[in-house]
Structure formats: C-alpha cells, structure tokens
Amino acid sequence: MPELPEVEVVRRGLERFVVGREVAAVAVLHPRAVRRQPAGAGDFIARLTGGRIEAARRRGKYLYLPLDSGEAVLAHLGMSGQLLMVPTEVDPQPHLRIRVGFADGDPELRFVDQRTFGGMAIESTVLDAGEPIPVSIAHIARDPFDPRFDDTEFARRLRHRHTGVKRALLDQSLISGVGNIYADEALWRARLHYARPTETLTRPVIGRLLASVREVMSAALVDGGTSIDRLYVNVNGESGYFDRALAVYGRQDEPCPRCGAPVRRDAFMNRSSYTCPSCQPRPRRGRW
Ligand SMILES: [Zn+2]
C-alpha cells in the first residue's frame, strides 16, 4: 500500500504535469473507481469536464486537485492505485479505470487500479487556513511535512491519548500519513517499542520521535518511495526502491543494523510490527 512519501512523489508528478491544464474529456471505465461520487459516473464526468486544475495538493494519503469551479478532484490510491501520465495514443493498460484527457493534448492522466480499493470523486470544498480542501477530508490531521503541522500541539495531544505509541502514530486524526512501514522504521530510529504508553513519553522523547518520522520519510522521498507492494508505480511509471534501505520492516530474523540482534516480528492490529528486541525493549510496568 502506498505510504505518504509515495503519495507525495505522485503529488509532485501531478504538480508538474496537470496543474494549469483544462480537462477536455473524461472516461470512467469501472464504476467502482468513482463509488465515492454519490450521483455516479455521469456526475463525476460532468463536473470534471471543462474544469481547469489549479493546484495539486495532499492531506495525508489523499491527493486533491482544486478546480477553477471551486470544487476539487479527490483521489486515493487505495492498495494498488497508480496515476500515470501517458501519451493519448498508448493503448489502455490492464485495470485502467479512469482516463482524463486535456484540451492541450498529451499527456493524459490515467488512473490504473488492479484491486480497485482506490478511486476518485469530485467534491465541494471548504476553506482551511485560506485554501480550499474537499469537505470529506478536512478533518484529517496534517502530516509531519505540512508547514502548518504543530509539534507542540502534537506532543500535548499524544500524551493525552493513553494508548501505545504506534497505535497513536497510525491515528489519522492525530497525525496523518504515517503508515505501518514508516511507523516501525521511525520507532526503531527513536529506540521506542511500539507498545510504549504515550503518557510516559517526555517532550524530548516526542521531539526525537517526530525527528525520526521526518528522517525516515525524507529518506523515502529522496529514493522515490518504497515499493513493498510491487504494484505501486509513481506518476512517471517508475517503481520506488527505498525498501532496500529499511532497517527492520519486513526483516524478521535479520540482524538489527545498529546492534546485530535478530529483528523480531509481532502481530499488531491485523498486521505486523518489527522491532529490535535489544534497541527497543518491550515496556514493563513502572520501568521505561
Ligand atoms: Zn538493535
């Protein structure tokens, strides 16, 4: 599943290739890809056609394109979605769900999604800090790269959660965009076990944790995003390769890059958590 760095790579691609262009033709090839559009594919096509794309933005893992109409295109890649810029004459690829053609010609935007957990919709917007954002995602917390992300407020709210630190990192109403892979990598860097109670975290430790989250995600951005899910391809059609640089995620029984202890895998919220048992000891009551 694409995580925040991959989605940011896609956003940058959209910024470069679709902003400022006028939509001339839209085709929906699978109704499931527009299931978030209450009035259906016809409504999606009608509200997008003729619109000019003003910007390419992101809130957590949601991408959105404000239009000159005051509405916005909302897109989520789901498990396997790809947004590809493709010359118009290229034959439709397997699992092509939506085509968006532009008045100025090539390239067109294609939404390809094998499992169809992702999709697109046209939504009305509300103003958030003076900028339009689709109504349905306005409640999602900002991510740690957002210039308006508030570290002090995050620390305050985190300490009041009374939950395990990884569970809190995955809570999109507290901090967005941190998925399972980057949570594990950041916790390893910060030497914190995933079950560490948030109320025991001091402000300096929370500062270290946020720095770790940002480091891990910055490294992923430089590398073009992970490709744990091989279906993921960025907007230019190139797979990311950050997975080579992962320290613990997906590396059960391999040596911890810091101390050499074998990496441990635990079941966690229907997924997995990877830790170094030596660098990230499990918290014991009363002893951190
Ligand atoms: Zn270690």
Side-chain angles (χ1 to χ4, degrees):
M1 177 187 276
E3 298 219 29
L4 183 141
E6 293 93 322
V7 180
E8 173 61 16
V9 169
V10 173
R11 189 201 65 78
R12 291 176 185 182
L14 291 171
E15 190 160 66
R16 183 168 160 207
F17 290 108
V18 305
V19 171
R21 301 178 73 194
E22 186 188 320
V23 176
V26 181
V28 174
L29 290 88
H30 195 303
R32 208 169 131 72
V34 292
R35 67 190 176 284
R36 287 178 65 136
Q37 193 77 42
D43 185 48
F44 175 83
I45 293 166
R47 286 159 75 178
L48 180 52
T49 305
R52 206 181 105 95
I53 295 172
E54 309 243 282
R57 301 196 197 283
R58 182 176 58 71
R59 178 64 62 93
K61 293 187 196 173
Y62 284 92
L63 293 159
Y64 61 100
L65 306 170
L67 300 168
D68 59 352
S69 63
E71 298 190 301
V73 183
L74 178 63
H76 196 280
L77 301 177
M79 298 290 286
S80 56
Q82 300 167 253
L83 286 167
L84 304 173
M85 301 307 305
V86 183
T88 314
E89 76 269 14
V90 172
D91 287 340
Q93 46 273 87
H95 315 297
L96 177 60
R97 307 304 188 202
I98 298 171
R99 289 175 84 156
V100 179
F102 294 93
D104 60 6
D106 282 340
E108 65 178 24
L109 177 65
R110 293 185 183 181
F111 180 66
V112 175
D113 191 359
Q114 180 178 335
R115 288 179 243 173
T116 330
F117 289 118
M120 298 172 89
I122 309 295
E123 277 194 13
S124 54
T125 60
V126 290
L127 289 180
D128 182 8
E131 292 182 341
I133 181 167
V135 172
S136 71
I137 61 167
H139 67 285
I140 296 175
R142 294 178 186 274
D143 67 66
F145 288 121
D146 193 310
R148 294 177 195 267
F149 185 89
D150 184 336
D151 288 22
T152 307
E153 176 66 4
F154 171 76
R156 191 189 67 74
R157 294 183 61 208
L158 179 68
R159 287 171 54 89
H160 283 87
R161 282 290 152 125
H162 297 286
T163 184
V165 62
K166 181 172 172 182
R167 214 171 259 273
L169 284 179
L170 298 177
D171 180 345
Q172 304 288 301
S173 70
L174 182 66
I175 181 171
S176 68
V178 185
N180 202 39
I181 299 172
Y182 296 105
D184 278 5
E185 292 294 305
L187 289 168
W188 176 80
R189 284 202 186 211
R191 301 179 186 237
L192 290 171
H193 190 272
Y194 59 82
R196 175 76 178 263
T198 54
E199 64 270 25
T200 69
L201 299 173
T202 62
R203 283 188 185 269
V205 170
I206 294 171
R208 199 170 82 212
L209 175 61
L210 269 179
S212 299
V213 168
R214 291 186 172 116
E215 282 165 20
V216 167
M217 291 189 164
S218 300
L221 279 178
V222 168
D223 282 352
T226 70
S227 57
I228 296 298
D229 183 337
R230 297 288 166 195
L231 290 169
Y232 170 76
V233 180
N234 73 28
V235 78
N236 291 316
E238 297 163 359
S239 292
Y241 53 91
F242 178 63
D243 50 316
R244 286 181 207 153
L246 295 173
V248 287
Y249 187 87
R251 300 197 180 279
Q252 183 177 10
D253 296 331
E254 290 180 39
C256 163
R258 194 159 47 209
C259 75
V263 168
R264 176 187 164 93
R265 185 181 74 82
D266 296 325
F268 181 87
M269 292 171 71
N270 298 320
R271 287 179 282 182
S272 297
S273 274
Y274 294 89
T275 54
C276 168
S278 168
C279 299
Q280 302 164 270
R282 178 177 279 277
R284 282 180 290 168
R285 187 173 268 280
R287 287 185 58 183
W288 317 118

